[in-house]
Amino acid sequence: MAALLDRARELVATVTDPELPMLTLEDLGVLRDVSVDENGTVTVAITPTYSGCPAMATMRDDIVRTLKEAGLEATVRLTLSPAWTTDWISERGRTALAEHGISPPGRATPVAGPVALTLSPLRRAVHCPQCGSVDVEVTSEFGSTACKALYRCLTCLEPFDHVKEI
Ligand SMILES: [Zn+2]
C-alpha cells in the first residue's frame, strides 16, 4: 500500500493549475493530502483557491483523470478550512510565475482582528517581472483570469499579469 501511495502522490504532483499551468497543485498550495484506503482507492484532499474559481472543477477532473489513466480509482475531497491564501504558493511556484512573466503575489494581509475598510485603491508591492521596475500601474483589476490583475510597467512599457493577494 505504501508503494501505491507513493505512486499516487507522484501522479497528483504532476497535475497543474489550469489557469497558471506553470504551477503544480502542490506549488499552488492547494494539495492537502493524498491517502489510499484498503481497496486501493485514492482520496485526494484539496483546498479551493478563490471561491467560485472556475478552475476548481477542472482541477478535480484533472486529478481524477490523471490517476485513472494510471489505473487508479480516485475521489477528490474539498477541505475548506483553513482557507487558502496566496501565502501558500511555494517559493518554487513564485519563481516559476516570475519566469513566465507573471508577477507573484505579495504577502496577503493578516486577517486576525478587525480589518480596516479603505476606499483608496489597493496598494501592492508589485514590480515588473521583465525589468524589475517598481514604476508600474494597474490597467485592469481583472486580467486574463479573475485571480489576476493586469499591470503595465512604466519603465519598459511591458504589460504583465499579477496574481492578486488573498
Ligand atoms: Zn519593466
Side-chain angles (χ1 to χ4, degrees):
M1 227 34 111
L4 186 59
L5 180 60
D6 283 348
R7 181 131 178 273
R9 278 188 209 277
E10 268 172 38
L11 288 163
V12 172
T14 66
V15 178
T16 54
D17 178 357
E19 292 183 348
L20 299 165
M22 69 293 291
L23 296 188
T24 65
L25 300 189
E26 195 161 29
D27 290 333
L28 192 61
V30 302
L31 192 59
R32 295 274 72 76
D33 187 50
V34 180
S35 59
V36 178
D37 71 11
E38 64 275 16
N39 302 315
T41 302
V42 181
T43 301
V44 180
I46 57 173
T47 299
T49 53
Y50 305 83
S51 59
C53 176
M56 289 316 294
T58 313
M59 282 183 203
R60 291 179 85 139
D61 292 350
D62 286 351
I63 291 170
V64 171
R65 200 193 55 241
T66 301
L67 291 167
K68 207 176 202 106
E69 280 170 3
L72 300 174
E73 280 304 315
T75 55
V76 175
R77 191 163 52 79
L78 293 184
T79 305
L80 298 175
S81 179
W84 181 85
T85 119
T86 43
D87 287 351
W88 292 6
I89 297 177
S90 70
E91 279 311 313
R92 202 179 65 162
R94 287 166 196 273
T95 306
L97 285 172
E99 280 169 358
H100 286 79
I102 298 174
S103 156
R107 290 287 141 200
T109 320
V111 285
V115 176
L117 179 68
T118 54
L119 297 175
S120 55
L122 278 172
R123 292 231 171 262
R124 301 187 183 110
V126 174
H127 39 211
C128 171
Q130 307 293 339
C131 71
S133 170
V134 292
D135 199 9
V136 298
E137 67 174 10
V138 179
T139 25
S140 168
E141 272 301 318
F142 295 93
S144 56
T145 59
C147 58
K148 291 182 235 125
L150 196 60
Y151 276 74
R152 189 166 68 108
C153 174
L154 299 174
T155 304
C156 72
L157 303 177
E158 284 294 320
F160 64 91
D161 275 333
H162 171 73
V163 177
K164 288 185 264 187
E165 296 77 14
I166 64 161

